[in-house]
Every structure is written in C-alpha cells, then in structure tokens.
Amino acid sequence: MKKAKTQLNQEQLDRVIQMAWEDRTTFDAIRIQFGLQSGEVIKLMRANLKPTSFRLWRKRTVGRNTKHLAKRNFVVGRFRCPSQRG
C-alpha cells in the first residue's frame, strides 16, 4: 500500500527548498516538519530547480555528514536560527 503524497502549498515548498539548501539542516528535520523522506526531498528538488542548480545541490549533499542526523558528531539543537521568522 502506497503512502499518500504530502501536498505542499507554495510557501511550504519554498521552505523545504530553503531547508534543503542549508548545510546544517538535516533531512530528518525536513521529515519531522513536512513528512518528506530524503528521497522525496531529492525528487522535489529535481522537479523545482534548474538542472544545473540541482546538480550543484546534489554535489553538496552527497556524503555530507551534516545532512544526516545519525552521522553528525555534534550536538543537535533547534531546527531554526534565532533570527529566522516563522
């Protein structure tokens, strides 16, 4: 049985893309806030970025320890910086 796709409005879509670009925001944080697994985030990024931008993003995230909570070697705090709105 397939899991129902999460429907995101434009504001949520923009936020997911912003979080995915951030180096210290984990895929786990995106999953907790939006219900998207890392593979779904990759598909979302592929569909919403220019091909060159997607390739740059994938090059940055592949093998990056900070994008995976289990691979981090530092204390995990909140998902947002204090100056961030919302």
Side-chain angles (χ1 to χ4, degrees):
M1 182 174 192
K2 275 193 168 182
K3 185 176 140 186
K5 286 226 176 216
T6 305
Q7 295 297 322
L8 301 174
N9 62 33
Q10 189 61 45
E11 184 179 328
Q12 292 170 324
L13 179 65
D14 291 343
R15 181 66 185 132
V16 170
I17 291 171
Q18 181 182 11
M19 289 175 75
W21 268 107
E22 293 170 351
D23 290 335
R24 295 201 178 260
T25 302
T26 64
F27 287 120
D28 294 319
I30 296 171
R31 180 182 47 78
I32 290 167
Q33 290 186 17
F34 296 98
L36 299 172
Q37 299 296 327
S38 59
E40 294 171 313
V41 173
I42 293 167
K43 288 178 185 177
L44 183 141
M45 295 294 277
R46 181 178 283 127
N48 290 283
L49 296 178
K50 295 177 186 174
T52 307
S53 298
F54 175 75
R55 283 192 295 273
L56 286 171
W57 175 76
R58 277 305 282 159
K59 189 175 181 180
R60 284 175 49 147
T61 58
V62 171
R64 181 177 287 269
N65 289 342
T66 56
K67 293 304 279 185
H68 301 279
L69 190 59
K71 293 182 180 180
R72 284 183 155 189
N73 60 357
F74 54 89
V75 177
V76 178
R78 47 177 61 250
F79 296 145
R80 300 179 187 175
C81 76
S83 63
Q84 197 172 19
R85 284 193 235 162

